Amino acid sequence: MALQYCTVASQKDDGTTPPLTKHTAALRHGLTPYAVARTEDQPTPRLRTLAPSPPKCTRHPRISLEDMFHFISAPSQRPLFTAEDVKWLITNSPSPSPLPRSISRPSKGQQGDEENEDDADRLLLPLRSGRGLYRARIARQRIDHIIQDGSRERVTVREIAQELDLNDGQVKDLMPNDGHRAGWIWEGDEAQVITRNGYDAILKAIYAQCDSSPLSRHGTAKQHRISIRSFDRIVQESNEIIISHAQGRQKEFHLNHLDSAPDVVYSDGYRSRVEERLCSLLLDVERPTMVETGNFPGNPLVGLVQTIGNALVTEGRLEGSFLDRTNVLEFIPSVYTSSKRQELQSKVSTGELEWITVQDLKDIYYIDASPATGTKDNQPATDDLVFFTDVAVSKNFIERTVEETCRALKAEGYATITVPTFNGSDPTTATVIKFIFDKVLHQRRSDGYVSLELIGDNVIGDEFKAKLSQRAIEQAQSQAQEAWGTGKDQPYRRANVLSPASLGAEALDPKVLRQLLVGKVEVGAEKAYHDKIQGLQREAHTSLAQFWAERVGKRFKIYYQGLDSVKDAKLKEELSTRLLEYMLDELIPGTLKRASSEKLVVGQTLQRHVEELQASLRQLKTEERPPAERLQALGEIVNSFLSTDKKGRRVELDPADRTRHLEDMLRGMQKDGNDARLFLTLVLILIARDGPGVVYATGKYAPRLMKQLQGRVDADRFAWLKSVKDQAKSGTIPEDMRAEAKTIASESWRDIASQASSS
């Protein structure tokens, strides 16, 4: 037996091939030098040079074991290799690359046909024990036989590897890919194989079970000790085969998944039996009928029966709808729902039904509706309903409420939108109120009213807000007037001013009223109160100031100026003292008392001014100064009282003021029957005719004041005055003399008035 060398050498630049030594040949072809040497001893050695094979020889500069044996011929019986040579070759030969798992299993007609083998099938696999080699095609056939022979239902990869004396990885590489393993499946993360026999047994059991009841994926997988993935693969492959090839009753074994419960699997045959059962129960019913799923074979889930029933309705084999009533299925025939919708239509149109919850609409009238889609079945019975989140409200009720609200707005300026509480659903109530408000707003805008505000369930117009603000101001001013009338400063009482009764808003929700009052109205009312108080204070101040000027200021100035008409210094001093006493003891106290009685001293500010005045007057009375100085100080006090100017203001004396004062004296003289006062008045008027002011004096000063007239009147008049003085002293002035005295006084006053008017 001669060795035919398979040389694959690289050529030189000149195209020649270098010589091949024994050592080089041994290394390049994976042989021992000893084996190469033995080939040289053959009697007729023949050497054949093969064309290079780049895919193999370029990577590995040695020949594979398979190719080596292919080119060996054995003309003699002399063994070419010893057992040690073979072991060395198997041990040191590089492992083949992973086998392609996409190579399909050879058909029966091709098995054993070496001419039809491809490269993967011709590969030699070293045995795990090291005792030999396995051709890949043969190993593949052995594995296929183990899976298909029916002797066992399960086999592990480890068991197959032990039988073939291969390792686990080689066995997995030799297994067909997913597209070429129908009839068997991997199990346990490719650690175990369900063989053809096991696969058929599981599928047969699934068919037997699903023929009479639905299956649980997890339960069935656990029963057959397979994974969910394996179960789903079996169902998928079975359905593919049934769809492609099944005829007749085999189609009933097509398996379906339930969408509402993905763990449930049922067959077409089982669905047909459920359909027959549903049609026999429900085809002729006219009222809602409960469907007990426990009466169906296999005790199916409610969802499964409902799915099958809904399909019957869609196909037109049943007329009605299925409702899940918590683990019990209810069938509502179409004839019954039509009658209930007619009933609903009647109640809504007559106003008997104002609103209904969406759930009651579904449970009682079998109308499935929602705010997003309206009525899903688009029934005319719901045309008179407006749908919200969880209720449907009658359009008649909404329109009536809109009209009532508009009428109240027109009459009162505000209105309350009265709607039911809708079973305590506050959000829905608010939504319905807002819906009605929008309609009211639209209608009011059409009538020319634009601004409305929704607060809770109350609609408030701008007219009412303005009226409310005005009422609040009026109430605040009224309270201020009442507080002023007490003579004491009173604080602002918000509760009294802004009460619903005070504002004429008793019908308005107190919470809404408080919300309307907060801010502008509340601030405006309080400001109105204080403004009114300040206004009353200014009025009181002005009134008291005018009263003081007329009663004290001008009189004091007239009397003070009158002292200049007295030439006798001693008399002038005495009259000054008397004037000071009159002012401090009579005129000023009397004026303040009268001002208080006439409620001119109101409020703490004016009272404080009066107290300060009285303190100044008391201090002045105790001072030890000449009468003239004290009179001057009194003048400053009189001028500064109630003055807004810190420097004090002077009482301006108009000539007419003096004239009116003298006129008052003359009027008193005309009525007075007292002779002493008659004479005193006559003397004072005569002095005033030729001098400033008016002298203040009592009767005892009349004779001395008469002497001031000497030289101012003619001698006859002065003599006549002396006569009158004597008669007055005894109180026996004759009537003709009295009449003449009055005439002289009147003429003198007219002269004074004439002088005043011309000045």
Side-chain angles (χ1 to χ4, degrees):
M1 184 176 182
L3 173 65
Q4 299 175 358
Y5 280 93
C6 178
T7 62
V8 182
S10 47
Q11 296 181 342
K12 294 183 178 181
D13 295 337
D14 57 2
T16 60
T17 302
L20 185 67
T21 64
K22 286 193 285 184
H23 184 71
T24 301
L27 293 177
R28 182 168 295 175
H29 298 295
L31 303 177
T32 64
Y34 171 75
V36 174
R38 290 180 59 186
T39 61
E40 295 177 346
D41 296 335
Q42 299 301 322
T44 56
R46 293 177 294 144
L47 183 62
R48 183 174 66 180
T49 301
L50 302 178
S53 178
K56 296 181 181 179
C57 300
T58 302
R59 292 182 183 178
H60 308 290
R62 53 185 176 274
I63 193 170
S64 67
L65 293 176
E66 182 180 2
D67 287 340
M68 180 188 72
F69 282 108
H70 181 73
F71 295 112
I72 293 177
S73 61
S76 67
Q77 298 299 320
R78 181 180 178 182
L80 181 61
F81 300 106
T82 65
E84 288 76 11
D85 290 334
V86 173
K87 288 181 179 181
W88 186 90
L89 289 171
I90 294 173
T91 302
N92 292 278
S93 175
S95 300
S97 59
L99 298 176
R101 300 181 68 177
S102 60
I103 304 300
S104 57
R105 185 171 62 249
S107 63
K108 292 183 179 180
Q110 293 175 333
Q111 291 180 3
D113 188 355
E114 295 185 4
E115 293 181 1
N116 294 324
E117 289 181 342
D118 57 15
D119 290 343
D121 283 338
R122 285 197 296 270
L123 290 176
L124 299 178
L125 307 176
L127 301 181
R128 186 170 58 182
S129 63
R131 293 196 298 268
L133 302 171
Y134 229 131
R135 189 181 294 273
R137 178 175 60 81
I138 301 301
R140 220 185 277 273
Q141 291 175 354
R142 288 290 305 276
I143 293 173
D144 186 71
H145 176 74
I146 293 173
I147 293 174
Q148 303 291 337
D149 69 353
S151 61
R152 45 193 163 181
E153 294 183 353
R154 298 171 184 261
V155 61
T156 65
V157 173
R158 179 62 53 84
E159 290 172 347
I160 296 175
Q162 289 177 350
E163 289 186 22
L164 301 184
D165 197 13
L166 298 172
N167 59 49
D168 295 358
Q170 290 173 322
V171 171
K172 288 186 177 183
D173 289 341
L174 291 169
M175 297 290 286
N177 64 6
D178 288 352
H180 298 85
R181 69 164 190 255
W184 68 275
I185 54 174
W186 285 110
E187 177 62 24
D189 197 20
E190 297 193 356
Q192 188 182 58
V193 175
I194 306 296
T195 66
R196 181 72 185 193
N197 191 30
Y199 183 97
D200 291 343
I202 293 173
L203 186 58
K204 183 178 180 181
I206 291 174
Y207 283 166
Q209 289 177 282
C210 73
D211 189 50
S212 59
S213 66
L215 302 180
S216 166
R217 292 169 60 241
H218 286 81
T220 305
K222 184 177 181 180
Q223 176 185 352
H224 295 287
R225 297 182 293 113
I226 59 177
S227 64
I228 288 293
R229 185 174 61 180
S230 297
F231 177 85
D232 291 341
R233 181 59 184 266
I234 291 174
V235 170
Q236 178 186 352
E237 291 182 353
S238 172
N239 284 343
E240 291 174 355
I241 294 173
I242 290 174
I243 292 173
S244 302
H245 306 291
Q247 299 292 332
R249 192 174 183 280
Q250 289 180 343
K251 292 184 177 180
E252 295 184 2
F253 294 109
H254 181 272
L255 300 177
N256 309 278
H257 290 279
L258 182 61
D259 293 338
S260 60
D263 190 55
V264 176
V265 176
Y266 62 98
S267 66
D268 286 354
Y270 179 77
R271 180 177 61 187
S272 298
R273 280 181 280 282
V274 173
E275 289 175 348
E276 293 174 1
R277 178 67 174 163
L278 287 173
C279 289
S280 65
L281 287 174
L282 306 175
L283 192 59
D284 298 324
V285 298
E286 296 182 355
R287 297 187 62 80
T289 302
M290 304 307 292
V291 179
E292 299 287 345
T293 57
N295 297 330
F296 286 78
N299 192 21
L301 295 175
V302 170
L304 176 56
V305 178
Q306 186 175 13
T307 298
I308 296 174
N310 289 339
L312 291 174
V313 172
T314 302
E315 295 169 4
R317 297 167 63 185
L318 286 177
E319 294 184 358
S321 60
F322 288 89
L323 301 177
D324 186 354
R325 300 296 192 189
T326 312
N327 298 325
V328 177
L329 198 61
E330 184 179 16
F331 176 71
I332 314 298
S334 296
V335 63
Y336 182 77
T337 55
S338 296
S339 66
K340 294 299 290 183
R341 283 164 182 154
Q342 291 175 2
E343 176 187 341
L344 174 65
Q345 182 82 31
S346 175
K347 288 183 177 181
V348 171
S349 60
T350 60
E352 178 183 352
L353 182 67
E354 293 184 344
W355 67 277
I356 185 173
T357 66
V358 171
Q359 188 62 46
D360 285 346
L361 196 65
K362 181 177 181 180
D363 295 342
I364 300 174
Y365 297 100
Y366 306 100
I367 295 177
D368 192 5
S370 67
T373 61
T375 54
K376 295 181 179 178
D377 46 15
N378 197 24
Q379 293 296 323
T382 60
D383 289 346
D384 291 333
L385 294 174
V386 178
F387 288 92
F388 298 92
T389 304
D390 53 359
V391 300
V393 183
S394 164
K395 288 183 179 178
N396 289 338
F397 171 78
I398 291 176
E399 292 172 358
R400 185 173 68 252
T401 304
V402 169
E403 291 300 324
E404 292 173 354
T405 303
C406 289
R407 282 197 299 270
L409 280 171
K410 187 175 182 180
E412 301 293 338
Y414 69 92
T416 300
I417 298 177
T418 304
V419 298
T421 57
F422 304 117
N423 294 337
S425 178
D426 290 336
T428 302
T429 301
T431 303
V432 175
I433 289 174
K434 181 61 169 59
F435 182 83
I436 294 175
F437 170 75
D438 290 340
K439 287 188 169 294
V440 171
L441 183 60
H442 177 74
Q443 183 166 330
R444 292 282 287 178
R445 284 176 176 172
S446 301
D447 297 338
Y449 298 92
V450 178
S451 183
L452 293 176
E453 182 180 2
L454 179 65
I455 303 176
D457 57 355
N458 294 270
V459 183
I460 311 297
D462 277 355
E463 305 94 331
F464 177 74
K465 291 181 183 178
K467 187 184 298 183
L468 191 68
S469 179
Q470 184 60 35
R471 286 177 181 173
I473 291 174
E474 292 172 356
Q475 288 298 315
Q477 292 173 342
S478 176
Q479 186 190 78
Q481 189 70 53
E482 292 176 3
W484 182 258
T486 63
K488 298 179 180 179
D489 289 344
Q490 299 288 342
Y492 171 70
R493 291 182 174 85
R494 179 189 183 282
N496 294 343
V497 172
L498 301 180
S499 67
S502 299
L503 299 175
E506 295 91 338
L508 189 61
D509 185 347
K511 294 181 179 178
V512 177
L513 180 60
R514 283 195 296 272
Q515 187 171 343
L516 290 174
L517 297 178
V518 170
K520 182 179 179 180
V521 176
E522 187 176 43
V523 173
E526 186 171 1
K527 182 178 183 299
Y529 175 87
H530 293 297
D531 288 348
K532 182 64 175 179
I533 292 292
Q534 292 175 1
L536 292 172
Q537 287 176 342
R538 286 192 297 269
E539 291 177 6
H541 187 281
T542 301
S543 298
L544 183 58
Q546 291 175 351
F547 183 79
W548 175 263
E550 293 293 331
R551 299 283 299 180
V552 177
K554 291 183 179 181
R555 284 190 180 187
F556 175 75
K557 194 165 187 178
I558 291 172
Y559 293 147
Y560 188 75
Q561 290 178 356
L563 291 173
D564 292 338
S565 299
V566 180
K567 304 305 181 183
D568 187 344
K570 184 178 180 181
L571 177 60
K572 184 175 182 179
E573 183 177 359
E574 291 180 14
L575 291 174
S576 296
T577 302
R578 182 68 186 98
L579 177 59
L580 188 63
E581 292 173 351
Y582 169 71
M583 294 295 297
L584 295 176
D585 298 335
E586 297 180 34
L587 183 59
I588 293 178
T591 300
L592 293 178
K593 184 177 181 180
R594 185 172 177 179
S596 179
S597 65
E598 293 183 6
K599 299 186 182 303
L600 296 177
V601 183
V602 184
Q604 294 180 351
T605 301
L606 290 181
Q607 290 176 358
R608 186 176 67 253
H609 287 325
V610 171
E611 291 171 357
E612 292 174 353
L613 172 65
Q614 291 172 336
S616 299
L617 294 176
R618 284 193 298 271
Q619 182 179 357
L620 182 62
K621 290 178 69 174
T622 60
E623 291 181 357
E624 297 293 339
R625 286 192 293 172
E629 293 183 9
R630 293 169 65 194
L631 274 177
Q632 187 176 4
L634 178 60
E636 296 297 330
I637 294 173
V638 170
N639 284 326
S640 63
F641 180 58
L642 298 180
S643 174
T644 56
D645 186 357
K646 292 183 179 180
K647 295 181 179 180
R649 66 177 181 181
R650 299 293 175 181
V651 176
E652 297 297 333
L653 189 61
D654 189 91
D657 295 329
R658 176 170 172 261
T659 303
R660 284 193 295 270
H661 183 76
L662 289 169
E663 185 179 14
D664 292 338
M665 292 173 60
L666 180 62
R667 190 179 299 114
M669 178 183 178
Q670 300 295 331
K671 298 178 181 179
D672 198 352
N674 187 282
D675 291 346
R677 282 198 299 269
L678 176 71
F679 177 68
L680 175 63
T681 304
L682 176 60
V683 171
L684 293 177
I685 292 176
L686 290 173
I687 294 174
R689 185 185 62 179
D690 297 325
V694 177
V695 176
Y696 174 78
T698 58
K700 74 175 184 176
Y701 294 104
R704 296 171 68 184
L705 285 172
M706 184 193 70
K707 294 179 179 181
Q708 299 296 312
L709 292 173
Q710 190 172 10
R712 297 184 185 182
V713 298
D714 56 41
D716 293 339
R717 178 65 55 86
F718 186 77
W720 182 83
L721 287 173
K722 290 176 66 176
S723 174
V724 174
K725 178 193 73 169
D726 294 337
Q727 295 293 331
K729 186 175 182 181
S730 61
T732 59
I733 299 177
E735 285 299 325
D736 58 340
M737 188 176 289
R738 292 175 65 87
E740 186 177 0
K742 293 177 181 180
T743 301
I744 294 172
S746 297
E747 291 175 353
S748 298
W749 177 81
R750 282 194 292 270
D751 291 340
I752 295 172
S754 177
Q755 293 174 7
S757 62
S758 63
S759 61

